[in-house]
């Protein structure tokens, strides 16, 4: 099969690829676009740690998407990390490629490789048990202090209920076709060669060996020959490479060498296979293991490399026939030892030097760069960090070391740059290769499943909307329900709640903190925009993105690829055809979801009465939604835990109220032409005028002696307030100032000030933001966007509101 073609198969949301060497350009050009295009977006690569350093040091083009669309990590083992597994997991099954191909251009499209495929569904069968065994092996390789891998594994497992309950194979098992199979991994005291030989019963007529690399003294082959005692050993040799130790053949009884002519054309044979033929079966071993002691071990040793091979017991002659070996293993194809060139040992890769060149692990969360130094980095405080773009060019940025860090995890504040930093390079007493930066926030956005029909139906409710309406709360309800079912392991939802990690980037335990406790230990935000958000990786963040687009903000933290851009356009298509949509939206104009060809008719008295009834129903629904939110907060306050989702709901509801409000009253004769049918809440003259509705909502969270804000729980992995919360706080500030800046009658203005002024002081103080933070772009840009969208319809002067905010900062927080 053409391996690269199979990467485009659909039905899987996660992949884990292991490799010895890596060519980033090959993975990102051949594998990544195909699997992502098929909906597989949670992707991980595990390479030999020293070979990963080798690639980053110049042996491969630098990766363009590592750390942003997938993670690339190094596995550190005693010998070589050499398995070539490609595991894919979906909701309804999984599949496992096992073979000899590395993630290099040669391995994926150049060499002659051998790869086999196991596929399973949700039912318990032999293939599923082998896949579960591979999953558990790969899980054992994960560094719990890695900034993303534990989260990626948890995310994958949360969306594969069958895998959570699947039994792992412990030895040979029967597949559905009646043949036997076993996944032989280098995690046992016995070597792979010994375990392979144990499965063979009966006399071995012929042992066929295909291997590009051999022991200098053929030690592994000698051990197999002693254990199996085959009548003949057939070794397929590539005469052009000089990699076979011809002088050691005298120690092997019954060995016959064969030319590779006609087998794989002129391509380098990188395939590895053992076939022990008996009268009753072909016993096949294929995978990553060369015919070396380091890979297969001997009778007394397990081998020093980490390898993965698959054993298959097939009908007699089938393995030879399937591989087309009959045309090669003929008398005419025999090769005399004298015809072989002398053994030519290639220059060794400097593994010892490479192991000392790895700088450690880098991750960016928000505007914080964390560095977990490798154990061999002496005196980490003596090093400075330089940020590099994906091209490898230095970025104009000076990371500032933060106080309170220790040698296990050093943190830096980084400045915003036009390009996202892709690599970090150390400057100091010792030279190191650049390290990939894992962008936690970007990956949480990139790791998502293709939307289910339920989610698409929810998003369809936003299609054509240019305003925040009550439909937005219905969408959030649906997304939260899907999310909660996924968290419990039920249902077929595809939302992506942020996986709960037990450790942060430095391997330190973290926990949920109350808002006040979080604030006491957080790092203040001084300027610019906060990049990370507590909804990262959740489809509920779609609601946040919709709100941000309404007020002219871009909620993305990283450039997206073509497929992601198309998805975003579909999710947030505003459905308008106006040439100046922004101005029309600011004026409150309504847009149809689809163009209509029906002529506009004058409204008669009956139509006017119907509109009045619809407006009253909408007003009642808005007031009820606000009351329901208050009850929701009360119940959550009793349990002592509010989440970021509750404050996203508060922000959405505040914007819904603003969209439904207008600057006039419902008095007879007051019918301005620019009032739309959506604007049902007057500025005064009604117990549910918009200043009162907004004030009651904000008071429910921030007011009184026991404000609900104190029950907000935040993950201690954040060291700054997440952006989604700052956006909510900014919306609250704007709404309170809107109430005070509204054009009210003198008596009504006095009443509103009596209620709002003390509440405003409570909100400013209970958010615990400093004056600098309150005047930073992360707050003021949201407030400016709210003014553009809502100030005119509410009869508010944007400049007056902005001045009022600055004045409140000076007065409340001198």
């Amino acid at each position: 099969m053409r391996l690269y073609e199979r990467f485009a198969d659909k039905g899987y949301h996660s992949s884990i690829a292991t490799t010895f060497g890596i060519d980033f350009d090959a993975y990102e050009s051949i594998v990544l676009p195909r699997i992502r295009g098929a909906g597989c977006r949670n992707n991980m690569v595990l390479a030999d740690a020293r070979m990963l350093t080798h690639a980053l040091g110049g042996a491969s083009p630098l990766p363009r998407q590592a750390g942003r669309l997938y993670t690339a990590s190094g596995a550190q083992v005693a010998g070589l990390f050499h398995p070539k597994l490609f595991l894919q997991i979906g909701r309804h099954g999984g599949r496992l490629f096992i073979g000899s191909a590395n993630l290099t251009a040669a391995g994926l499209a150049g060499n002659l490789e051998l790869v086999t495929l196991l596929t399973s569904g949700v039912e318990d069968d032999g293939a599923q048990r082998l896949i579960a065994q591979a999953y558990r092996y790969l899980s054992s390789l994960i560094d719990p202090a890695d900034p993303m891998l534990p989260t990626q594994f948890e995310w994958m497992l949360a969306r594969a209920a069958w895998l959570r309950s699947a039994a792992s194979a412990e030895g040979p098992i029967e597949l559905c076709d009646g043949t036997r199979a076993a996944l032989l991994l280098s995690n046992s005291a016995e070597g792979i060669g010994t375990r392979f030989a144990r499965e063979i019963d009966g006399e071995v007529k012929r042992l066929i060996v295909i291997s590009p690399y051999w022991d200098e003294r053929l030690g592994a082959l000698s051990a197999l020959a002693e254990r199996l005692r085959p009548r003949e050993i057939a070794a397929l040799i590539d005469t052009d490479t000089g990699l076979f130790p011809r002088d050691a053949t005298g120690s092997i009884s019954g060995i016959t060498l064969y030319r590779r002519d006609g087998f794989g054309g002129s391509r380098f044979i990188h395939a590895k296979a053992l076939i022990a033929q008996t009268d009753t079966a072909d016993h096949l071993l294929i995978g990553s293991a060369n015919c070396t002691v380091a890979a297969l071990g001997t009778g007394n040793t397990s081998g020093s490399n980490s390898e993965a091979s698959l054993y298959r017991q097939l009908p007699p002659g089938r393995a030879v026939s399937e591989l087309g070996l009959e045309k090669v293993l003929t008398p005419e194809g025999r090769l005399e030892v004298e015809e072989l060139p002398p053994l030519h040992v290639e220059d060794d890769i400097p593994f010892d030097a490479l192991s000392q060149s790895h700088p450690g692990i880098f991750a960016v969360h928000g505007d914080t760069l964390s560095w977990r130094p490798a154990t061999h980095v002496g005196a980490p405080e003596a090093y400075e960090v330089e940020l590099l773009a994906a091209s490898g060019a230095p970025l104009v940025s000076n990371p500032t070391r933060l106080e309170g860090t220790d040698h296990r995890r050093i943190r830096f504040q980084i400045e915003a740059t036009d390009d996202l930093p892709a690599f970090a390079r150390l400057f100091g007493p010792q030279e190191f290769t650049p390290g990939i930066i894992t962008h936690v926030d970007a990956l949480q956005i990139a790791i998502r499943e293709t939307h289910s029909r339920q989610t698409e139906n929810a998003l369809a409710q936003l299609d054509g909307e240019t305003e925040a309406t009550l439909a937005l709360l219905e969408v959030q309800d649906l997304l939260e329900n899907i999310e909660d079912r996924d968290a419990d392991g039920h249902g077929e939802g595809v939302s992506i709640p942020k996986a709960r990690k037990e450790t942060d980037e430095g391997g330190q335990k973290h926990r949920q903190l109350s808002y006040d406790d979080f604030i006491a230990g957080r790092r203040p935000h001084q300027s610019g925009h906060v990049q990370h958000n507590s909804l990262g990786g959740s489809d509920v963040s779609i609601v946040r993105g919709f709100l941000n687009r309404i007020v002219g903000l871009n909620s993305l933290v990283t450039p997206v690829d073509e497929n992601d851009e198309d998805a975003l356009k579909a999710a947030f298509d505003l459905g308008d055809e106006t040439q100046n949509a922004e101005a029309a939206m600011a004026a409150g104009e309504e847009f149809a979801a689809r163009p209509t060809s029906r002529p506009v008719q004058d409204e008669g008295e009956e139509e006017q009465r119907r509109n009045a009834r619809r407006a009253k129903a909408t007003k009642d629904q808005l007031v009820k939604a606000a009351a329901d939110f208050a009850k929701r907060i009360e119940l959550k306050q009793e349990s002592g835990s509010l989440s970021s989702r509750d404050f996203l709901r508060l922000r959405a509801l505040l914007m819904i109220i603003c969209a439904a409000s207008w600057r006039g009253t419902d008095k007879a004769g007051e019918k301005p032409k620019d009032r739309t049918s959506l604007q049902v809440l007057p500025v005064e003259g009604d117990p549910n005028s918009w200043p009162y509705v907004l004030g009651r909502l904000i008071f429910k969270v921030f007011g009184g002696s026991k404000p609900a804000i104190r029950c907000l729980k935040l993950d201690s992995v954040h060291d700054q307030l997440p952006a989604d919360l700052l956006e909510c706080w900014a919306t609250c500030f704007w709404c309170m100032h809107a109430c005070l800046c509204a054009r009210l009658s003198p008596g009504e203005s006095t009443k509103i000030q009596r209620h709002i002024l003390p509440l405003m002081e409570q909100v400013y103080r209970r958010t615990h933001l400093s004056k600098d933070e309150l005047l930073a772009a992360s707050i003021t840009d949201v407030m400016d966007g709210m003014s553009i969208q809502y100030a005119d319809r509410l009869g508010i002067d944007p400049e007056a509101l902005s001045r009022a905010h600055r004045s409140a900062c000076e007065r409340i927080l001198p």
Side-chain angles (χ1 to χ4, degrees):
M1 64 180 175
R2 289 184 174 90
L3 180 60
Y4 64 86
E5 292 179 354
R6 299 304 303 269
F7 293 137
D9 295 344
K10 296 184 177 181
Y12 308 98
H13 52 61
S14 301
S15 78
I16 313 163
T18 66
T19 183
F20 172 59
I22 182 166
D23 177 345
F24 291 110
D25 190 54
Y27 178 76
E28 294 184 354
S29 300
I30 299 173
V31 183
L32 190 64
R34 286 176 170 83
I35 57 179
R36 281 181 59 81
C40 185
R41 293 174 173 268
N42 179 30
N43 301 305
M44 297 156 269
V45 173
L46 289 173
D48 181 274
R50 290 160 296 187
M51 292 300 290
L52 182 65
T53 301
H54 188 47
L56 292 170
S60 161
L62 288 173
R64 301 180 301 277
Q65 304 293 354
R68 288 181 282 181
L69 292 184
Y70 69 98
T71 52
S73 306
Q76 299 187 16
V77 295
L80 302 181
F81 181 73
H82 203 251
K84 293 94 166 70
L85 300 174
F86 188 79
L87 175 67
Q88 284 189 284
I89 300 297
R91 287 187 178 270
H92 305 294
R95 67 177 181 177
L96 176 65
F97 294 89
I98 310 159
S100 59
N102 285 298
L103 292 180
T104 61
L108 294 170
N111 295 339
L112 179 66
E113 308 280 0
L114 277 181
V115 180
T116 188
L117 172 62
L118 293 171
T119 304
S120 78
V122 297
E123 300 82 12
D124 180 16
D125 60 15
Q128 185 189 87
R129 295 190 174 206
L130 292 172
I131 288 172
Q133 181 187 357
Y135 164 77
R136 283 162 178 74
Y137 166 68
L138 294 172
S139 299
S140 70
L141 300 173
I142 298 305
D143 181 354
D146 187 275
M148 266 308 285
L149 279 178
T151 296
Q152 289 180 277
F153 266 73
E154 290 175 14
W155 188 96
M156 174 176 64
L157 200 59
R159 287 152 187 79
W162 63 270
L163 185 57
R164 294 197 297 271
S165 59
S168 175
E170 300 295 337
I173 57 172
E174 186 173 308
L175 299 179
C176 59
D177 62 359
T179 63
R180 283 167 57 80
L183 183 60
L184 304 183
L185 305 166
S186 297
N187 57 356
S188 170
E190 286 188 306
I192 290 176
T194 300
R195 281 178 280 162
F196 168 67
R198 187 187 301 120
E199 299 305 319
I200 302 168
D201 52 359
E203 182 184 12
V204 177
K205 297 185 297 182
R206 180 168 59 174
L207 174 65
I208 303 171
V209 185
I210 303 173
S211 177
Y213 303 105
W214 310 76
D215 290 312
E216 191 171 348
R217 298 183 180 180
L218 295 177
L221 185 57
S222 296
L224 283 171
E226 183 177 350
R227 177 70 182 263
L228 297 175
R229 301 197 177 279
R231 278 189 252 163
E232 178 191 354
I233 297 176
L236 191 64
I237 305 299
D238 189 333
T239 58
D240 296 330
T241 63
L243 297 176
F244 184 78
R246 65 178 190 180
D247 298 333
T249 54
S251 62
I252 308 294
S253 176
I255 188 171
T256 303
L257 308 182
Y258 291 87
R259 303 177 188 277
R260 53 80 49 88
D261 297 349
F263 186 70
S266 60
R267 291 185 293 168
F268 175 63
I269 301 178
H270 193 252
K272 304 100 165 46
L274 298 175
I275 306 172
Q277 295 184 287
T278 68
D279 289 331
T280 58
D282 275 6
H283 299 270
L284 171 68
L285 184 76
I286 64 172
S288 65
N290 288 295
C291 192
T292 64
V293 172
L296 295 174
T298 64
N300 301 318
T301 64
S302 61
S304 57
N305 291 350
S306 289
E307 307 278 1
S309 296
L310 185 72
Y311 162 74
R312 293 291 305 274
Q313 185 187 67
L314 302 172
R318 182 174 169 183
V320 173
S321 174
E322 293 272 344
L323 294 177
L325 292 172
E326 303 101 326
K327 61 184 179 182
V328 178
L329 303 178
T330 64
E332 294 76 21
R334 289 184 178 179
L335 177 67
E336 298 300 326
V337 172
E338 293 77 15
E339 300 178 60
L340 288 174
L343 176 65
H344 171 69
V345 180
E346 296 179 333
D347 293 336
D348 290 335
I349 297 173
F351 287 112
D352 290 341
L354 288 171
S355 65
Q356 299 298 310
S357 299
H358 172 54
I361 296 176
F362 296 94
V364 164
H365 200 25
D367 66 349
T368 303
L369 170 71
S370 65
W371 169 39
R372 183 158 63 89
T375 55
H376 54 263
V377 178
E381 64 278 1
Y383 291 89
E384 298 297 327
V385 173
E386 180 184 46
L387 302 180
L388 309 177
S391 65
L395 295 174
V396 181
S397 177
N398 297 309
T400 305
R401 193 180 300 252
L402 297 172
E403 296 180 0
T405 62
D406 57 32
H407 66 281
R408 293 173 300 175
R409 184 168 71 107
I410 300 173
R411 297 182 304 136
F412 302 84
Q413 183 173 355
I414 58 176
E415 304 166 351
T417 57
D418 292 337
D419 294 324
L420 280 179
F423 310 99
R425 182 165 58 194
L426 300 180
F427 282 97
Q430 185 180 342
E431 195 170 311
F432 296 92
T433 58
I436 295 171
I437 297 176
T438 298
H439 286 264
V440 175
D441 303 299
L443 280 163
Q444 287 175 348
I445 291 174
I447 297 170
R448 67 179 190 272
E449 290 177 90
T450 303
H451 290 141
S452 72
R453 182 170 296 178
Q454 276 186 302
T455 309
E456 290 293 351
N457 289 341
L459 295 179
Q461 297 182 52
L462 300 182
D463 189 28
E465 291 289 340
T466 62
E467 294 280 13
T469 66
L470 288 174
L472 192 61
L473 297 184
E474 296 174 3
V475 171
Q476 184 171 351
D477 283 337
L478 178 56
L479 294 176
E480 287 182 4
N481 289 337
I482 294 171
E483 201 167 80
D484 291 339
R485 287 202 304 271
D486 270 4
D488 294 336
H490 304 296
E492 293 302 326
V494 295
S495 62
I496 305 171
K498 184 179 176 182
R500 186 177 300 165
K501 298 190 294 180
E502 294 183 356
T503 58
D504 64 13
E505 294 95 9
Q508 305 299 309
K509 293 287 183 180
H510 72 267
R511 62 194 186 282
Q512 294 279 307
L513 299 176
S514 69
Y515 184 77
D516 287 348
D517 289 341
F518 179 90
I519 287 291
R522 58 99 189 219
R523 177 167 57 87
H525 178 67
Q526 297 299 327
S527 62
H529 289 277
V530 177
Q531 296 291 322
H532 62 285
N533 74 89
S534 59
L535 302 167
S538 168
D539 267 357
V540 175
S541 63
I542 290 170
V543 175
R544 177 196 172 219
F546 182 74
L547 296 175
N548 279 353
R549 284 178 178 247
I550 287 176
V551 296
L553 297 180
N554 180 9
S555 63
L556 296 179
V557 298
T558 182
V560 291
D561 63 12
E562 218 169 276
N563 292 329
D564 291 329
E565 188 62 38
D566 292 340
L568 285 169
K569 288 177 181 176
F572 297 107
D573 180 11
L574 295 180
D576 60 79
E577 299 297 331
T578 182
Q579 292 184 347
N580 191 348
E582 183 176 351
M585 288 166 62
E589 182 178 338
E590 293 178 88
F591 298 92
R594 293 177 177 80
T596 176
S597 59
R598 289 181 294 180
V600 178
Q601 299 178 352
D602 291 335
E603 294 182 349
E605 291 184 5
E606 181 59 31
E607 181 65 21
Q608 291 178 12
R609 283 194 293 270
R610 282 197 296 269
N611 284 342
R613 287 196 296 270
R614 282 198 295 267
K616 185 177 187 304
T618 304
K619 182 192 293 186
D620 292 342
Q621 290 168 358
L622 288 167
V623 174
K624 182 179 183 301
D628 289 344
F629 175 80
K631 293 177 183 177
R632 175 190 180 103
I633 294 300
E634 287 176 3
L635 290 174
K636 292 213 166 188
Q637 206 170 354
E638 289 176 5
S639 66
S641 178
L642 275 73
S643 73
S644 298
R645 298 193 311 192
D646 297 306
F647 288 89
L648 177 66
R649 184 179 295 271
L650 171 62
R651 183 190 177 200
L653 195 49
L654 291 173
M655 290 178 63
I656 290 167
I657 299 301
C658 289
S661 303
W662 73 296
R663 58 180 177 267
T665 69
D666 291 333
K667 294 178 182 178
E670 190 172 357
K671 298 183 182 298
K673 294 181 180 180
D674 59 353
R675 181 184 179 184
T676 72
S677 60
L678 290 177
Q679 294 173 276
V680 296
L681 297 176
V683 69
E684 65 175 294
D686 190 303
N688 290 313
S689 63
W690 60 261
Y692 282 108
V693 178
L694 291 176
R696 289 197 295 264
L697 280 171
I698 296 172
F699 181 86
K700 198 64 191 178
V701 176
F702 290 98
S705 59
K706 295 181 179 179
I709 180 66
R710 291 178 179 168
C711 295
L712 170 60
K713 300 295 185 183
L714 291 173
D715 199 326
S716 64
V717 71
H718 301 290
D719 71 341
Q720 285 186 306
L721 274 177
D724 54 293
L725 287 181
L726 288 172
E727 291 157 3
C728 181
W729 300 168
T731 304
C732 291
F733 298 146
W734 189 92
C735 289
M736 286 185 299
H737 286 296
C739 294
L740 295 172
C741 293
R743 298 169 188 169
L744 299 168
S745 62
E748 189 71 7
S749 178
T750 300
K751 289 167 59 178
I752 290 296
Q753 289 186 38
R754 187 168 61 246
H755 293 295
I756 295 298
L757 281 174
L759 175 61
M760 183 172 65
E761 182 162 343
Q762 289 176 321
V763 177
Y764 272 83
R765 292 191 183 281
R766 286 173 173 172
T767 54
H768 295 293
L769 299 180
S770 68
K771 187 191 305 182
D772 288 340
E773 291 174 307
L774 287 166
L775 297 174
S778 51
I779 296 292
T780 58
D781 282 2
V782 177
M783 297 183 71
D784 290 344
M786 290 286 292
S787 290
I788 291 171
Q789 184 70 5
Y790 301 118
D792 184 62
R793 73 180 68 179
L794 300 185
I796 294 166
D797 179 1
E799 288 298 324
L801 189 146
S802 181
R803 289 195 300 270
H805 172 62
R806 291 194 295 270
S807 176
C809 293
E810 295 291 341
R811 177 173 54 84
I812 299 172
L813 301 168

